[in-house]
Structures are given as C-alpha cells and as structure tokens.
C-alpha cells in the first residue's frame, strides 16, 4: 500500500536561506508524487507533481523537487526563502487507479526575518 | 471559471444536529472527491464520484455520513447526529478522469460544540 512520511513537523529558516522539506514514500507501483501548500484556513494549492517524466520537477514560486527512486524520496527545495513561503506543506502520493491521494502529515514552514 | 467552490466556509453546530455542505466543482471535471482534515494532520480521503456515481467510500465514512452528486455537477456531504470528533476541515476537489492531480476548494471548517 502507498504511504508518505514527512520528516519534521516544523521547519524554521531565515529569509533568503535554503528551504528543504523532506518526503519519503512507499509504493508498490511507480508512483505519482505531489507537493501541495496550504495557507491558514485555505484549501490546498498544487506546487508541483512528478508523473514519471523528468526526475527533477520544477514548480511554482521557484520550488522544485527531485524524485530519487533509490532513496524513495521526493524532497522539496527552494534556493531562497521568502516571508510569503510561511505555510504548511504536504507531500502526497497517488493512491492508485481511483485517483485518490494519500497525504503526509505535513510540515509547517516558518520564515524568520 | 472560478475554480472549486465550497459553501459554507465555516459552520458551527451543536452536537447531535445535522449539517450539509456543498461543493461546486470546475464545470468540465467529471471526478469529485471529498477529504477530511483534522488539526495537525494531512487530508484523508472520504469518498469520490465519477459523474453522478459514487465509486468509492473510505472506512472513515461512517453511517452518519452521506454524499450525493445528483446530476454529476455539484455535490453535497451530509453529516447526521454530529459528534465533537467530526470537527474538521472538509475539503472538496475535482479533476478530469485520468488526470493525476486535483483542484481543491477552500474547504468548509466544521466546529461541533
């Protein structure tokens, strides 16, 4: 069965610093993987997705993620954090043919000035 | 196209009351999904529709929960005899068949007092 583990429920970085949010997955089939961002009291916005094409995936707002099959990882990075990046980030794996997503527990990103 | 709309945004209800939420998907999307998100957790899949057919229900969807999508357009989620444990954000998402990714609505936050 598919599952996702996000390492670190809270990550704090300084403005301008590198952002690294970790995600490891478990899947019995080649996975589709997603990163979503959620601002307080809002729905989820898709940042980027891996669909078995290029292993380095670029998303919105300069975020990118690299699919590493050998490490079963799909970590999210951004070279330089902005205050507006403060939010909760969710990694998700496609649950299978029905199209439902299985989410991790989320990582809350704080950005210090 | 205004995206996925959910109504109401917030609902406070007394324990034991019935509540109903509405989701209007993107018009050309034939798949519609309901998720529940409790505090500090990622969204959890509840159920999904393809057109008007409800094709899958999670074990999380107890007998007190019912969802409909009568004409394959908007959907409603009803919770009967609400309990405090039902307090959560209820998220709706829509997608095209076979498309590995959703558009989420902003959610309905339910508080049961």
């Amino acid at each position: 069965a598919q599952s996702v583990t996000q390492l670190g429920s809270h990550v704090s970085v300084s403005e301008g610093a590198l952002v690294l949010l970790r995600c490891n997955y478990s899947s019995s089939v080649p996975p589709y993987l997603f990163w979503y961002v959620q601002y307080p009291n809002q729905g989820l916005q898709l940042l980027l997705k891996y669909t078995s094409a290029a292993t380095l995936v670029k998303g919105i707002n300069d975020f990118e993620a690299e699919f590493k099959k050998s490490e079963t990882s799909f970590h999210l990075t951004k070279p330089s954090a902005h205050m507006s990046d403060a939010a909760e980030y969710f990694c998700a794996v496609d649950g299978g043919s029905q199209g439902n997503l299985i989410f991790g527990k989320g990582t809350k990103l704080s950005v210090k000035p | 196209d205004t995206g996925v709309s959910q109504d109401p945004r917030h609902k406070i209800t007394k324990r034991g009351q019935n509540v109903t939420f509405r989701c209007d998907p993107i018009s050309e999307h034939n798949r519609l999904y309901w998720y529940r998100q409790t505090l500090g957790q990622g969204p959890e899949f509840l159920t999904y529709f393809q057109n008007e057919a409800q094709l899958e229900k999670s074990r999380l969807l107890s007998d007190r929960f019912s969802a409909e999508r009568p004409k394959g357009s908007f959907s409603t989620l009803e919770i009967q005899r609400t309990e405090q444990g039902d307090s959560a954000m209820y998220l709706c998402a829509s997608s095209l068949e076979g498309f590995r990714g959703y558009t989420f609505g902003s959610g309905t936050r339910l508080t049961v007092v």
Side-chain angles (χ1 to χ4, degrees):
Chain A
Q2 286 87 333
S3 67
V4 165
T5 302
Q6 290 185 242
L7 301 176
S9 58
H10 289 88
V11 170
S12 182
V13 300
S14 297
E15 193 173 18
L18 172 72
V19 175
L20 171 61
L21 304 182
R22 299 177 186 273
C23 173
N24 287 88
Y25 71 90
S26 173
S27 178
S28 56
V29 297
Y32 292 88
L33 293 159
F34 305 82
W35 276 100
Y36 283 87
V37 61
Q38 186 177 36
Y39 296 97
N41 295 313
Q42 297 293 319
L44 283 82
Q45 180 184 6
L46 180 67
L47 284 176
L48 49 81
K49 62 181 182 284
Y50 168 75
T51 57
S52 74
T55 56
L56 183 62
V57 181
K58 294 187 182 298
I60 62 172
N61 300 334
D62 295 327
F63 283 96
E64 63 181 37
E66 186 172 7
F67 173 71
K68 292 187 176 181
K69 184 177 179 181
S70 61
E71 298 177 8
T72 61
S73 69
F74 190 57
H75 302 331
L76 181 71
T77 60
K78 181 173 179 175
S80 176
H82 294 170
M83 296 297 292
S84 60
D85 295 327
E88 190 149 23
Y89 292 79
F90 293 93
C91 182
V93 63
D94 196 313
S97 61
Q98 307 302 338
N100 58 295
L101 293 178
I102 298 169
F103 287 86
K105 292 188 174 183
T107 297
K108 187 172 183 179
L109 176 67
S110 300
V111 182
K112 299 174 292 186
Chain B
D1 190 351
T2 57
V4 178
S5 299
Q6 291 190 247
D7 184 70
R9 291 294 309 276
H10 299 92
K11 177 72 176 179
I12 299 174
T13 191
K14 292 184 178 180
R15 189 174 54 185
Q17 297 294 306
N18 299 343
V19 294
T20 300
F21 313 138
R22 177 180 170 124
C23 172
D24 286 89
I26 293 173
S27 57
E28 62 266 30
H29 285 182
N30 62 347
R31 285 192 173 189
L32 186 148
Y33 299 79
W34 285 99
Y35 283 77
R36 181 174 70 185
Q37 184 180 20
T38 53
L39 204 61
Q41 301 293 321
E44 295 172 295
F45 169 74
L46 291 178
T47 187
Y48 101 97
F49 293 84
Q50 183 168 311
N51 301 312
E52 66 275 11
Q54 188 174 17
L55 296 186
E56 188 173 352
K57 293 194 290 186
S58 161
R59 287 173 294 177
L60 293 175
L61 212 66
S62 76
D63 292 344
R64 297 184 296 106
F65 288 69
S66 62
E68 295 182 343
R69 194 183 182 196
K71 296 183 179 179
S73 57
F74 73 92
S75 176
T76 58
L77 178 68
E78 181 183 16
I79 309 175
Q80 296 182 326
R81 305 180 303 280
T82 52
E83 302 173 355
Q84 286 191 320
D86 297 331
S87 296
M89 174 80 90
Y90 290 85
L91 293 163
C92 175
S94 69
S95 75
L96 287 170
E97 183 174 0
F99 178 62
R100 302 296 188 179
Y102 301 159
T103 300
F104 278 90
S106 295
T108 294
R109 181 167 294 283
L110 173 67
T111 302
V112 181
V113 297

